[in-house]
Amino acid sequence: MATEELGKPSSLPPYPQMIMEAIDALKQAEGASKTSISKFMESKYGEMAAGHADLLTAHLTAMKDGGELLFIKNNYLKPSSDAPPKRGRGRPPKPKDPMPAGVVLAPPRPRGRPKKDPNAPPAPKKPKTSAAPPTISKTGRPRGRPRKVQPQPLQNGVEA
């Protein structure tokens, strides 16, 4: 009774079954389009539910993603029996070696930087070394670009 409330009469078989019947009955080498599947279903089962187009699209997409149907050039067709199984996207995962019995693994570390311990004492401050002034490094030169040399003023018309 719940299916009648949703607009789909209970006398209809499930959508995946109707879709497979339509593809089998249409017997087209290149597959069946969504409109031809819909027309076959309406001719066989009469008036369809109000949301028939949306339900058909959702079921066709689910069956395509599940590997029950192939979608080639806007046509749906059944995969052949000698076809290789459909793989997912990307590289397949490496096979894992089975762990020996009795081995307990620790839980994986969480991602990111670990949180600070709020109860830990504060870290001691590093003492500053007073051996060299802060502008002079270990090489004896100050950091950065050297200062510009100021020219000496003229004395007796001759530059010093």
Side-chain angles (χ1 to χ4, degrees):
M1 291 293 174
T3 56
E4 290 177 3
E5 296 170 7
L6 296 175
K8 179 178 140 188
S10 61
S11 62
L12 291 177
Y15 263 82
Q17 182 181 342
M18 291 192 289
I19 291 169
M20 289 299 195
E21 284 177 17
I23 292 174
D24 288 339
L26 293 171
K27 295 180 183 168
Q28 296 172 352
E30 66 274 355
S33 66
K34 183 167 49 170
T35 54
S36 63
I37 292 171
S38 177
K39 286 180 182 177
F40 175 83
M41 291 167 67
E42 287 174 358
S43 68
K44 183 169 182 180
Y45 297 105
E47 190 64 31
M48 299 300 284
H52 166 68
D54 295 331
L55 282 170
L56 180 63
T57 302
H59 282 282
L60 284 171
T61 305
M63 292 173 75
K64 178 182 70 170
D65 292 342
E68 297 175 59
L69 293 177
L70 295 176
F71 186 64
I72 300 171
K73 295 184 181 176
N74 285 338
N75 289 328
Y76 295 91
L77 58 120
K78 287 184 176 182
S80 62
S81 60
D82 60 340
K86 184 182 175 200
R87 284 187 27 205
R89 290 180 49 155
R91 184 176 183 148
K94 291 183 178 178
K96 294 185 178 181
D97 294 332
M99 296 295 293
V103 174
V104 179
L105 295 176
R109 288 189 352 207
R111 293 177 52 179
R113 187 179 179 123
K115 302 278 185 202
K116 285 187 178 180
D117 183 15
N119 300 325
K125 303 269 185 187
K126 290 185 180 178
K128 292 192 175 189
T129 56
S130 61
T135 58
I136 307 291
S137 67
K138 293 179 184 176
T139 61
R141 293 185 185 169
R143 291 177 50 204
R145 184 180 177 122
R147 291 198 167 270
K148 209 180 225 183
V149 179
Q150 297 289 331
Q152 296 293 329
L154 296 175
Q155 294 177 0
N156 299 333
V158 178
E159 197 173 314

